[in-house]
Amino acid sequence: MRLERRETQSRLMMLTAPLVAILVALMLAGGLIALSGASVPEAFRRIAVGAFGSRLAITETLTRATPLIFTGLAVAVAFRARVWNIGAEGQLYLGAVAAVAVGATNPLGLPPLLLVPVVALAGAAAGAALLLVPVALRIRFAVDEVVTTLLLNFVVLLFVSMMIEGPMKDPLAFGWPASVPVVDAATLPGLVERSRLHAGLILAVVVACVVQFVMSRTVFGLEARATGHNPAAARFAGVSVGATLLKVAALSGGLAGLAGAVEVMGVKGYVTTDLSPGFGYAGIIVAMLANLSPVGVVAAAVFSAAIFVGADSMGRAMSVPSFIADVTVALALLTMLVALLLTTYRIRR
Amino acid sequence: MSVMLDVFASAGLWEAVLRIATPLIFGTLGALLCERAGVLNLGIEGIMTFGAMIAWLTVFGGANLWVGLLAAAACGALFGLLHAGMTVPLGLSQHVTGLGITLLASSLAYYLFRLAVPVQGTPPTIEAFQPVGWAWLEAIPVVGPLLAAQTPPTFLALALVPLLAFVLAATPLGLAIRMTGENPHAAEAQGIDPIATRIGTVVAGSALMALGGAFLTLSAFNSFFPTMVQGRGWVSIALVVFAMWRPWRALLGALLFALFDAYQLRLQAQLGKEVPYQLFLMMPYILSIAALVVMARRARVPQALMQPYRRGER
């Protein structure tokens, strides 16, 4: 068996491949649902209803998609330049802590229109700073950033735990480990009455469009892609590879940090160690499902969020463990990788 | 100060070191094997989680403890086959596929565990491996009692180190693996099939990783709970760099790491009231990063690591 590069890539195939991949992933997940003894069609019906079947379901799905858009973008811009940022989870949490550090008091009495951007930028800056360290280590000491960013996730989560049991502890939380909340002026307005959906979704979509523009239409975007494609050629063409990698790190970490700040400002109001049920790791899947396209990330994030929210509601109703959501999305990632490969290569005997 | 030094004289510390090192030895040897053939396997964290779950579930279902280990190894091998299938003949990104395997294996482990064991107040337990306690071993001064306090899987891990070092250094199979990891084109010219070698090595290495997870449920704890692997897989990946891709140094790295981990636990008991406990828990991860920084430049990476091999393409 060998792979042969296709001379032409058909548009039809490029469009259908992701759909076929997701269909295969859903069929495999169906097999696992059958293991639990539940009716598979009924389970899928409940997932769809749980994700999109009511006003509340739709707003929950979009609320869940919001942080996934940010972490998906963070991973997509990094992977484009072959910066293997697996630390979005840690960057998200550090961004959330920074948001609380800045937004818990408002000593200058800033109005929301000023305070919200300041708090968001604080979160982005913290996330960016966290990714700059491993990328600098890679440039200076040739340390693989995959392992360092992964290990930093554990360090940051312990740091969050230390902060919410120490300096940031909320004395009014009845001993429950949570940070103090941000002030009202630092919260994002809601979008739909009686739902958790907040203005962070609009921000996420706008940021996705901006990132799309930056990556495809600016010199920085070109340099980032060139560096990812072939660093030696990029260097030959006069691109400063080290500086480009650091800029990519700042952008990627900043987007993940923003995810944490927006989660605090839009949903929770404070930080706990379960602020993120793995949004950083799911961001990797979202970015891959979108084939690293920033605008595609929005669709992939909504798809993943729908699976999570729908499976949660299905699990409550049918005694199928809701972990099936993570399994389905992981399967979708793997089938998508193969499907995308087959759009550029064909298998020959 | 003397309290902190006295800890080193206690047998309990050194017993704990061997115990803590065991899953890391399995994990590091498994990852090392894959990388020696040129394949980075970031599926390790998930494979360890699945190994821990399936080993526990097998024994919980009434099987022998050794059958539990075998079940873990078999499942590890299957995930290894999946990783190898996607990265070797198809040449997909080893980073991304590995992470996908981690997400799939760990979520599948939680899902299957929940199917088999519905939520209860306290997690059910099994009769785990007991320390061997061989009298002849205890009779050896100093080292004897430490070893006798270990469970059988630790001996398996310790035995794997010389075995793997021998296979890699002195057998035709080892030569084939190393050549495939350094230069698959040259290997092919010598009549070695790089694709088959890589697939076989990744399958074997992944089986070892799963044993590291199985140790956690069959020896260290007697129950399974989510997130029990706690980054041991990622630490193992870091230890491979520290070990410069050599089995004996992998043993040394795992022991040093475990010594540090066991020591910080005791230090925590001493200083716990003055210093937040989270600072101690952070240390193993920070130490791994520090070890990477120190070793990364000196280490000689297998030249073809992470490079897909396609016949006829350069």
Side-chain angles (χ1 to χ4, degrees):
Chain A
M1 185 191 102
R2 49 189 250 133
L3 291 172
E4 191 181 88
R5 194 176 275 280
R6 291 177 192 275
E7 291 90 41
T8 54
Q9 297 171 23
S10 84
R11 286 224 156 237
L12 184 70
M13 209 171 163
M14 301 274 277
L15 288 171
T16 51
L19 297 175
V20 171
I22 285 174
L23 212 63
V24 171
L26 288 174
M27 275 165 57
L28 291 170
L32 288 163
I33 292 172
L35 265 186
S36 78
S39 146
V40 178
E42 175 63 7
F44 279 127
R45 194 187 67 82
R46 283 191 190 261
I47 290 176
V49 170
F52 296 114
S54 66
R55 201 187 61 114
L56 181 71
I58 294 170
T59 57
E60 272 304 300
T61 298
L62 292 176
T63 308
R64 185 90 180 220
T66 304
L68 290 178
I69 295 174
F70 286 115
T71 55
L73 288 173
V75 173
V77 296
F79 280 22
R80 265 283 162 91
R82 298 246 180 111
V83 170
W84 301 107
N85 175 17
I86 322 295
E89 187 80 358
Q91 291 140 25
L92 180 150
Y93 271 107
L94 205 62
V97 166
V100 169
V102 173
T105 56
N106 188 4
L108 299 176
L110 295 175
L113 221 54
L114 282 175
L115 189 61
V116 165
V118 167
V119 172
L121 284 176
L130 184 61
L131 183 55
L132 280 171
V133 175
V135 172
L137 288 178
R138 162 174 156 186
I139 296 168
R140 181 80 179 75
F141 298 106
V143 183
D144 186 9
E145 75 277 14
V146 170
V147 192
T148 47
T149 52
L150 272 167
L151 291 168
L152 281 173
N153 289 342
F154 292 89
V155 176
V156 171
L157 207 62
L158 286 162
F159 174 72
V160 171
S161 156
M162 196 170 103
M163 295 309 280
I164 64 182
E165 286 179 26
M168 285 190 172
K169 187 181 168 73
D170 185 358
L172 302 178
F174 302 105
W176 194 256
S179 78
V180 290
V182 292
V183 297
D184 282 346
T187 54
L188 291 164
L191 286 184
V192 179
E193 290 275 299
R194 288 175 291 119
S195 82
R196 302 199 302 160
L197 191 61
H198 55 87
L201 175 69
I202 296 170
L203 181 66
V205 174
V206 170
V207 168
C209 296
V210 171
V211 170
Q212 174 84 44
F213 178 80
V214 167
M215 293 310 280
S216 60
R217 295 288 156 86
T218 65
V219 174
F220 162 69
L222 179 73
E223 287 180 343
R225 278 183 292 142
T227 302
H229 192 66
N230 186 341
R235 192 171 283 118
F236 183 74
V239 174
S240 167
V241 169
T244 305
L245 290 178
L246 287 175
K247 282 186 225 162
V248 168
L251 178 59
S252 169
L255 287 163
L258 202 51
V262 166
E263 233 9 47
V264 165
M265 292 192 294
V267 181
K268 285 261 189 152
Y270 51 87
V271 179
T272 55
T273 47
D274 59 1
L275 177 77
S276 155
F279 288 138
Y281 300 106
I284 299 165
I285 299 183
V286 166
M288 293 312 299
L289 289 181
N291 200 16
L292 307 187
S293 139
V295 169
V297 159
V298 177
V302 172
F303 167 74
S304 309
I307 296 279
F308 283 120
V309 172
D312 250 1
S313 122
M314 186 267 292
R316 277 194 302 276
M318 300 183 67
S319 79
V320 176
S322 60
F323 289 117
I324 193 68
D326 302 82
V327 179
T328 309
V329 176
L331 283 169
L333 166 68
L334 295 177
T335 52
M336 187 70 87
L337 288 175
V338 175
L340 290 174
L341 178 90
L342 293 181
T343 59
T344 43
Y345 286 90
R346 76 174 92 234
I347 292 176
R348 273 282 163 83
R349 296 238 147 241
Chain B
M1 197 62 207
S2 76
V3 186
M4 283 155 71
L5 289 177
D6 284 347
V7 172
F8 286 105
S10 80
L13 175 82
W14 298 101
E15 282 175 26
V17 166
L18 271 172
R19 202 163 46 239
I20 296 171
T22 302
L24 297 174
I25 299 172
F26 279 120
T28 310
L29 291 179
L32 182 150
L33 199 55
C34 297
E35 291 185 30
R36 263 306 180 79
V39 180
L40 176 73
N41 189 350
L42 295 180
I44 182 167
E45 184 84 4
I47 292 173
M48 284 178 105
T49 307
F50 201 91
M53 190 283 297
I54 204 72
W56 184 89
L57 205 58
T58 310
V59 177
F60 184 66
N64 178 283
L65 285 162
W66 292 97
V67 177
L69 283 183
L70 272 179
C75 289
L78 278 179
F79 281 112
L81 189 63
L82 180 60
H83 183 61
M86 296 186 72
T87 56
V88 181
L90 296 183
L92 288 163
S93 158
Q94 297 180 4
H95 279 118
V96 178
T97 306
L99 290 165
I101 302 267
T102 278
L103 294 163
L104 176 67
S106 48
S107 53
L108 202 55
Y110 304 153
Y111 178 74
L112 295 177
F113 178 71
R114 268 286 154 266
L115 273 192
V117 186
V119 189
Q120 294 172 0
T122 49
T125 56
I126 52 160
E127 197 67 42
F129 275 113
Q130 296 303 308
V132 290
W134 295 320
W136 61 268
L137 194 58
E138 275 179 10
I140 303 170
V142 192
V143 193
L146 293 179
L147 286 171
Q150 304 301 326
T151 56
T154 301
F155 292 89
L156 181 60
L158 292 174
L160 276 169
V161 176
L163 177 70
L164 215 59
F166 173 77
V167 168
L168 279 175
T171 64
L173 176 65
L175 182 67
I177 293 172
R178 285 184 289 131
M179 276 191 82
T180 303
E182 292 293 337
N183 188 339
H185 298 281
E188 174 135 68
Q190 295 290 317
I192 296 165
D193 182 348
I195 305 257
T197 308
R198 279 191 170 177
I199 293 176
T201 311
V202 173
V203 166
S206 307
L208 294 187
M209 296 171 180
L211 287 178
F215 173 86
L216 293 175
T217 43
L218 298 189
S219 284
F221 309 94
N222 52 9
S223 57
F224 174 81
F225 48 92
T227 72
M228 76 184 303
V229 175
Q230 283 263 303
R232 286 183 179 87
W234 311 131
V235 168
S236 296
I237 296 277
L239 283 175
V240 174
V241 181
F242 177 83
M244 298 167 146
W245 290 268
R246 295 203 182 101
W248 282 105
R249 289 190 58 110
L251 174 66
L252 179 73
L255 287 173
L256 273 178
F257 186 92
L259 171 63
F260 185 84
D261 206 9
Y263 185 63
Q264 66 87 15
L265 278 173
R266 281 154 182 79
L267 208 59
Q268 199 180 323
Q270 297 284 330
L271 304 173
K273 287 190 185 69
E274 298 147 54
V275 186
Y277 69 94
Q278 290 96 342
L279 282 180
F280 294 100
L281 297 181
M282 278 179 202
M283 292 319 286
Y285 305 112
I286 293 175
L287 185 78
S288 300
I289 295 172
L292 279 175
V293 173
V294 173
M295 302 308 295
R297 284 234 273 208
R298 283 203 277 155
R300 225 186 66 75
V301 188
Q303 287 298 300
L305 182 63
M306 288 186 273
Q307 287 174 10
Y309 172 74
R310 292 202 179 100
R311 274 189 196 106
E313 255 184 53
R314 279 260 158 190

